[in-house]
Amino acid sequence: MSKAFKAIKVTDNVYWVGAIDWGIRDFHGYLTERGTTYNAFLVMADKITLIDTVKPPFQSELLGRISSVVDPRDIDYVVSNHAEMDHSGSLVGVIEAVQPEKVFASSMGCKHLQEHFHLDREIVAVKDGESLSLGNLGLTFLETRMLHWPDNMFSYMPEEKLLFSQDAFGMHLATSERFADEIDESLLEYEGSKYYANILLPMSALVTKLIKKVGELNLPIEIIACDHGPIWRQDLDKIIGWYAKWAEQKPTNKAVVVFDTMWFSTAKMAEAIAEGLMAGGAQPKLMPLKSNHRSNVATEILDAGALVVGSPTLNNNMYPTVADLLTYLKGLKPKNLVGAAFGSYGWSGEAVGQVRGMMEEMKIDLVDEGLRIKFVPNDDALKQCFDLGLRVAEKTRGLLEAA
Ligand code: FEO
């Protein structure tokens, strides 16, 4: 067992024993520019309990940190709050190393864990609201179905006023600091919003409901121990307030103009559209796909009022990077957006119609059919682009007035 890894004390009875993934840059399609952590927690109760595990390559790091507090074979219970591999991937190895008396998960968690690992032992299903005694401490389980998988649940420890919130309130951020109050607030807000926009956005209605439900339960919570990024032990209203705001998807006058270009004609169009947006009072954010990752576009859209998408036509199709972006964004189901499609073409020019079709499927309120310009835009064409920007700005104002 590696002695290089140490546990970090969260409370007198709870230790962080997770792993820091400094190098990860692709998290199922999400650019994790600052890495991430897979948080797991050791509860030193009469029944010693491990909450969640880590991604498989980090199993020895997890066991090493546990060993800095207790012999892993002394662990009695393992609780799996979420079956996704970044938290359950080491479960089989942990079960082998620890031989726990019992492993607990939600009913859907039991199903998912079996479907992942085909275990030859029972996982004990716990119900929403059920409590588990750990002797001197206890856990109460709160199912959070579809936040963001069917199996997710929170575990609440009343004695420590501590909520183990799995993915919720987390962020992909690898740091040497373990607590949010040790980290710059603007970084927390940015990485938190990026995580929300790329993971939780499609479930925003459920997020709003959950915040309300937790409020109604009136649970005293002093610590939120999430499964990614820093632990919150101060100013909990900050992260909860951010979640409430992000879930609303309230639009602003920001207009994201995202495009790719073959010979810079669609890029010239984008710049002229941005000028029109500015003249109309909107705040354009130009995001060429050659230098902006899809997950950063999703982050910018979180508080935008407009999305304008440009694509040249390549072999009768929209550009592959634009197709990639729209497929990704469609799955995230952003709301409260107006928009437009545009692009340069040579002869057939299908891309703008295809982009428009995808945007309609996403229920984006489009200003018109979109703007196609043949080959290189001349001054008249650039004026059309400028006017398109003006119309999008005007429609955005209408959206803000109605919101
Ligand atoms: Fe961090 Fe849904 O896994």
Side-chain angles (χ1 to χ4, degrees), residues 283-334:
Q283 289 188 314
K285 172 108 188 167
L286 254 70
M287 304 191 81
L289 283 169
K290 292 196 199 310
S291 53
N292 286 279
H293 192 268
R294 65 174 90 82
S295 56
N296 289 343
V297 176
T299 309
E300 289 297 337
I301 288 173
L302 184 60
D303 64 350
L307 174 64
V308 187
V309 181
S311 175
T313 297
L314 176 65
N315 297 328
N316 309 107
N317 272 296
M318 71 174 93
Y319 215 60
T321 50
V322 178
D324 171 290
L325 173 79
L326 290 174
T327 303
Y328 186 76
L329 292 182
K330 190 178 164 198
L332 293 173
K333 301 184 176 66

Side-chain angles (χ1 to χ4, degrees), residues 27-28 37-38 82-87 147-149 152 166-167 172 195 199 227-228:
F27 193 98
H28 57 51
T37 67
Y38 313 109
H82 181 24
E84 194 166 5
M85 288 280 204
D86 48 334
H87 311 296
L147 283 174
H148 64 123
W149 275 25
N152 290 83
Q166 37 86 21
D167 281 336
H172 288 314
Y195 187 88
I199 305 277
D227 273 0
H228 295 291

Side-chain angles (χ1 to χ4, degrees), residues 77-96:
Y77 295 160
V78 177
V79 173
S80 172
N81 278 330
H82 181 24
E84 194 166 5
M85 288 280 204
D86 48 334
H87 311 296
S88 70
S90 296
L91 185 63
V92 173
V94 164
I95 288 172
E96 275 171 19

Side-chain angles (χ1 to χ4, degrees), residues 167-354:
D167 281 336
F169 307 118
M171 63 189 70
H172 288 314
L173 179 60
T175 53
S176 50
E177 297 85 2
R178 294 279 63 78
F179 298 95
D181 50 276
E182 301 169 323
I183 299 171
D184 179 73
E185 183 176 327
S186 59
L187 178 60
L188 295 173
E189 185 169 12
Y190 175 75
E191 289 298 343
S193 72
K194 183 169 184 180
Y195 187 88
Y196 187 93
N198 285 277
I199 305 277
L200 293 165
L201 190 67
M203 287 83 181
S204 287
L206 292 174
V207 171
T208 303
K209 262 191 196 169
L210 179 69
I211 291 173
K212 190 163 177 263
K213 181 178 169 182
V214 171
E216 284 165 2
L217 288 172
N218 209 15
L219 299 174
I221 301 172
E222 292 182 356
I223 298 172
I224 294 177
C226 46
D227 273 0
H228 295 291
I231 298 159
W232 291 80
R233 62 182 175 185
Q234 288 178 20
D235 302 326
L236 271 51
D237 285 350
K238 199 175 286 172
I239 184 72
I240 295 169
W242 287 341
Y243 262 60
K245 178 181 77 172
W246 296 328
E248 265 191 80
Q249 294 184 68
K250 206 168 174 184
T252 66
N253 69 347
K254 188 206 292 184
V256 175
V257 182
V258 59
F259 62 94
D260 210 337
T261 191
M262 284 170 69
W263 295 107
F264 304 104
S265 292
T266 303
K268 286 187 179 118
M269 292 179 73
E271 286 161 9
I273 290 167
E275 291 295 317
L277 283 162
M278 282 190 279
Q283 289 188 314
K285 172 108 188 167
L286 254 70
M287 304 191 81
L289 283 169
K290 292 196 199 310
S291 53
N292 286 279
H293 192 268
R294 65 174 90 82
S295 56
N296 289 343
V297 176
T299 309
E300 289 297 337
I301 288 173
L302 184 60
D303 64 350
L307 174 64
V308 187
V309 181
S311 175
T313 297
L314 176 65
N315 297 328
N316 309 107
N317 272 296
M318 71 174 93
Y319 215 60
T321 50
V322 178
D324 171 290
L325 173 79
L326 290 174
T327 303
Y328 186 76
L329 292 182
K330 190 178 164 198
L332 293 173
K333 301 184 176 66
K335 289 191 172 41
N336 304 329
L337 287 169
V338 303
F342 68 97
S344 157
Y345 70 103
W347 47 99
S348 56
E350 290 91 343
V352 170
Q354 292 167 356

